[in-house]
Amino acid sequence: MAEAKERRILYENLDVPGIHTLDVYRKHGGYASLEKVFAIPPDDHITLVKDSGLRGRGGAGFSTGMKWTLMNRQIEPRYLCCNADESEPGTFSNRYILQNKPHMLIEGIIACCWALGIHTAYVYCRGEFTLAKKRLDAAILEAYAAGILGESVAGSGFALDVYTHSGAGAYICGEETGLIESLEGKRGQPRNKPPFPAVQGLFMKPTCVQNVETLSNLPFIVNNGLDWYKGMGSVYTDVPRTAGDPVNTGTKLYCVSGHVEKPGVYEVELGITAQDLIDMASGVRGGNRVKAVIPGGSSAPVLTPYELDCPLDFTSLGLAKSMLGSGGIIVMDETVCTVSALLNLMEFYAHESCGQCTPCRSGTPWVRDITKRIEAGHAKPGDIEQLIDVANQIANVDTFTWNTICVFGIAVSWPAVSFARKFRPEFEAHILNGECTVLPLEEAITPPEQNYAYPRPQVTVVQQPKWH
Amino acid sequence: MPFEFTPERRAHLDDLLTHYPTKRAATLPALHLAQAQNGYISQDVMEHVAELLDLSPAQVQDVVTFYPMFFQEPVGKHIIRVCKTLPCMLCDCKKVLDHLRESLEVEVEGTTADGNFTLLEVECLAACDQAPVMMVDEDLYGNLTPEKIDEILGGITGKAAPAKAERRHGRG
């Protein structure tokens, strides 16, 4: 296969000085979609986005167009919440969109609001994103002054107000209903679904919640059309429907961090393999070998070196019993103690559990404590089983069912169970030796034939990713 | 003296209230404004915010205790937040924290004797490409080394010129 190359669309011109200002953004083709978008009737616009195969980039990968069709468009007012609460460890691509191309996000918000007949949009920006929020606020003011927002967007007669709203450091506010609660001025504790936000969301009105990256794709779909967008990515034919929508169109912002020579955001067509992405980031630091890769932000099940040929898209990662999630790729080299890595993640989740549901509130610190015990060498045989058991009682990774209101539960169980199963020899060595023991690479990993995620079903790619 | 917003901040809050159909929705923005003025969210602050937004003080306290960015005790003049989540751990953020603890002679969650700095360990700051990272007040600094940290803190306390972090956008 030819060497994988970047395909910059959202990140095009990201480094042009001053691109965060209206003038420079326009000089580089910004707001071109405004001339086209209002000519597309809302129903056709929803169909366009549905047909494009665009899937939500925030984590769940749900079809965006499908989400829009579920929206109750009879009730006024309706709201858009743009999710800019980027808190998933390993994920940082939205920060650069907000800091450098805030106008691209506004352009996307306009496209979404026109399709759904929404006149008020809130951008829920995480509290720590100070520069990003300043730039976005300035961009919104510029857009109002230029008639791009306000009573008649670009002279179309369509009214739209966009406001920013700062969070205050809680990870759970990135969950769509947690975000809604937080925006309403409450603790960011997720709501029971149904009713879904599309029916009853912000201020009990129909609400669409979309991630920054998802919205940023819209202007390009409007501008360049369906065929252009569907020409990027990978499409599978022989995937059972239960594995999800076998459509993986467009590009993805992959955030590569950890032990690579050049960490950063790489925009590539969906379907690139983990190995190719590591190669793009100039390989593992110091010529070391890869020990573990978390493919989709910290909540995705970990991959071993045996799984690096897996295409990083929604379908293939789903079949590998992992997920693309937010596209945060954390690479760990052979010097890493996988038990310590899991402990770090479990401390994160124990800190961030909102405390609403007992299995999560009690179970997450419990999983953390068992991991801590194993890491310090104080554990006894059977603790690995207990770790997997407690995690599975928060959310069962094998049956994909959870005993909590939101999917935070599964975000805890996935890394916990996958680390304990896939790096079991290293966990056992900790217990056996009574101290932190980093095993040589080959010995640390459960052999693939004993790995619960194997064998991975093979799928046929109809549209082989083209690396332009 | 009980807490009250300065006229400018009060005007800012009044403007924010026009953004939402309910007053309660302005709770987080109001608390951010209050913390910027008062340094932390005291009982007085909660009561004042509650009164302005037609809430009970308990409803405001409910929110304050949920969000880590709101301080319930007085803090130093500058807040140092060191990220400790996985990508930063892999890039040795422990060294950053140890250096700060030693050079400032302060423990995590403590404030320096001169009241200048409060040191905090926080979960992901979403700048994993620049790991290890820290935030000092509103500014983010990445690819930290002990020398770089000394330079940054020196700049803040006025001993040397401030050195901003290089901001890398997808390595560009």
Side-chain angles (χ1 to χ4, degrees):
Chain A
M1 190 177 126
E3 199 184 323
K5 287 206 185 89
E6 279 196 84
R7 179 85 196 265
R8 284 193 169 204
I9 292 168
L10 272 59
Y11 263 39
E12 181 76 39
N13 301 324
L14 190 84
D15 300 315
V16 171
I19 191 88
H20 60 277
T21 61
L22 182 58
D23 281 351
V24 182
Y25 181 66
R26 272 201 155 140
K27 254 178 222 152
H28 287 84
Y31 287 116
S33 75
L34 289 186
E35 287 167 19
K36 294 189 185 171
V37 72
F38 295 110
I40 309 173
D43 285 333
D44 294 351
H45 192 31
I46 294 173
T47 310
L48 171 76
V49 173
K50 201 163 128 189
D51 292 346
S52 76
L54 174 67
R55 296 171 72 161
R57 301 295 198 237
F62 192 73
S63 157
T64 302
M66 186 66 80
K67 192 175 196 172
W68 290 7
T69 57
L70 299 175
M71 185 92 171
N72 184 338
R73 289 190 288 149
Q74 315 303 319
I75 296 173
E76 299 273 357
R78 298 181 286 278
Y79 296 104
L80 170 68
C81 293
C82 169
N83 189 343
D85 187 80
E86 185 173 52
S87 317
E88 176 88 354
T91 313
F92 42 90
S93 54
N94 290 350
R95 172 195 282 277
Y96 295 127
I97 294 182
L98 295 163
Q99 276 178 196
N100 290 33
K101 292 178 85 177
H103 282 290
M104 179 173 70
L105 175 63
I106 297 172
E107 203 177 339
I109 288 173
I110 294 169
C112 175
C113 289
W114 167 249
L116 297 173
I118 291 169
H119 300 290
T120 310
Y122 296 98
V123 182
Y124 187 98
C125 201
R126 71 175 288 193
E128 292 90 339
F129 278 3
T130 42
L131 176 67
K133 181 158 183 293
K134 264 182 215 156
R135 292 260 178 93
L136 182 60
D137 280 336
I140 289 171
L141 283 179
E142 278 184 313
Y144 270 108
I148 293 169
L149 291 175
E151 285 178 7
S152 173
V153 175
S156 63
F158 178 73
L160 176 62
D161 284 315
V162 178
Y163 305 114
T164 56
H165 185 100
S166 262
Y171 169 75
I172 195 62
C173 294
E175 199 274 347
E176 61 175 359
T177 57
L179 185 150
I180 286 170
E181 285 281 300
S182 180
L183 237 171
E184 289 182 356
K186 303 174 207 158
R187 299 164 82 88
Q189 292 180 321
R191 293 177 184 170
N192 257 318
K193 291 188 271 192
F196 288 90
V199 178
Q200 210 173 63
L202 186 64
F203 307 118
M204 305 311 270
K205 301 291 182 191
T207 302
C208 182
V209 185
Q210 302 276 203
N211 181 266
V212 172
E213 190 183 334
T214 318
L215 290 169
S216 299
N217 269 293
L218 298 174
F220 299 100
I221 297 175
V222 170
N223 260 342
N224 301 326
L226 208 55
D227 292 338
W228 171 83
Y229 195 77
K230 283 167 73 174
M232 295 183 292
S234 47
V235 178
Y236 302 98
T237 49
D238 50 357
V239 178
R241 294 297 297 179
T242 47
D245 191 351
V247 173
N248 297 272
T249 48
T251 61
K252 175 85 192 80
L253 300 172
Y254 294 100
C255 314
V256 188
S257 64
H259 292 158
V260 287
E261 291 284 356
K262 287 191 181 158
V265 181
Y266 293 83
E267 184 169 8
V268 188
E269 290 182 30
L270 275 164
I272 188 174
T273 69
Q275 183 61 56
D276 280 335
L277 198 57
I278 293 170
D279 291 343
M280 283 181 87
S282 300
V284 178
R285 63 162 189 189
N288 285 352
R289 290 177 298 170
V290 181
K291 185 168 186 176
V293 175
I294 302 181
S298 64
S299 49
V302 66
L303 303 178
T304 66
Y306 298 107
E307 297 164 290
L308 296 184
D309 61 335
C310 182
L312 298 173
D313 62 34
F314 299 101
T315 308
S316 275
L317 277 170
L319 291 170
K321 301 206 168 134
S322 188
M323 68 159 183
L324 179 62
S326 58
I329 318 288
I330 307 172
V331 180
M332 291 170 250
D333 75 7
E334 54 194 322
T335 64
V336 169
C337 165
T338 49
V339 186
S340 308
L342 177 62
L343 176 60
N344 182 288
L345 291 178
M346 290 303 113
E347 279 174 347
F348 171 81
Y349 287 107
H351 181 264
E352 298 294 342
S353 171
C354 83
Q356 194 178 195
C357 315
T358 308
C360 178
R361 181 181 62 241
S362 299
T364 310
W366 192 353
V367 172
R368 176 201 60 199
D369 291 346
I370 301 171
T371 314
K372 203 180 216 165
R373 226 157 55 210
I374 299 173
E375 201 262 347
H378 299 150
K380 50 188 186 309
D383 272 2
I384 299 174
E385 279 71 30
Q386 194 181 33
L387 190 157
I388 293 171
D389 183 45
V390 175
N392 268 333
Q393 291 196 41
I394 306 170
N396 192 310
V397 298
D398 297 317
T399 58
F400 201 62
T401 50
W402 47 93
N403 299 317
T404 50
I405 288 173
C406 79
V407 290
F408 186 96
I410 201 118
V412 175
S413 303
W414 256 341
V417 175
S418 64
F419 267 91
R421 283 179 175 166
K422 293 185 178 179
F423 295 95
R424 191 174 174 112
E426 191 150 86
F427 280 65
E428 280 169 349
H430 276 73
I431 298 174
L432 198 67
N433 297 343
E435 58 181 10
C436 182
T437 313
V438 181
L439 291 180
L441 183 61
E442 288 79 7
E443 293 171 29
I445 303 163
T446 305
E449 58 276 15
Q450 292 169 32
N451 180 346
Y452 76 109
Y454 274 81
R456 194 169 77 230
Q458 293 299 309
V459 294
T460 314
V461 180
V462 167
Q463 194 176 337
Q464 190 69 40
K466 300 174 292 298
W467 312 114
H468 301 277
Chain B
M1 209 173 75
F3 174 85
E4 222 172 272
F5 278 115
T6 59
E8 297 78 34
R9 288 207 165 85
R10 180 63 201 270
H12 190 171
L13 180 61
D14 288 340
D15 176 48
L16 285 172
L17 283 169
T18 63
H19 296 182
Y20 311 98
T22 69
K23 277 188 168 183
R24 186 172 189 174
T27 308
L28 260 68
L31 288 169
H32 278 301
L33 277 176
Q35 186 158 286
Q37 182 179 326
N38 196 51
Y40 75 108
I41 308 289
S42 63
Q43 192 68 34
D44 277 352
V45 169
M46 289 192 265
E47 281 170 19
H48 186 61
V49 169
E51 197 186 317
L52 291 177
L53 302 182
D54 295 337
L55 299 170
S56 72
Q59 283 173 312
V60 177
Q61 190 177 18
D62 194 41
V63 170
V64 172
T65 53
F66 187 79
Y67 296 94
M69 281 181 80
F70 296 130
F71 303 117
Q72 296 166 67
E73 301 285 338
V75 286
K77 220 159 98 190
H78 304 285
I79 310 291
I80 304 175
R81 294 182 165 90
V82 181
C83 178
K84 64 158 187 156
T85 315
L86 189 58
C88 278
M89 178 193 116
L90 296 173
C91 297
D92 214 358
C93 63
K94 196 173 168 291
K95 207 192 258 173
V96 170
L97 197 70
D98 287 345
H99 181 76
L100 282 165
R101 282 211 316 245
E102 279 162 28
S103 60
L104 294 174
E105 294 175 1
V106 66
E107 281 309 304
V108 174
E109 297 197 1
T111 301
T112 51
D114 58 8
N116 248 343
F117 295 104
T118 294
L119 179 63
L120 298 175
E121 242 186 340
V122 296
E123 300 296 353
C124 198
L125 287 174
C128 319
D129 53 338
Q130 307 171 47
V133 293
M134 68 174 182
M135 267 181 96
V136 182
D137 298 329
E138 299 204 332
D139 293 315
L140 180 80
Y141 302 92
N143 303 309
L144 294 173
T145 57
E147 298 75 43
K148 203 163 170 182
I149 294 169
D150 290 342
E151 209 179 314
I152 294 161
L153 296 188
I156 288 164
T157 47
K159 284 179 204 146
K164 276 274 177 75
E166 72 223 57
R167 295 182 202 280
R168 297 189 302 171
H169 315 298
R171 311 149 333 284

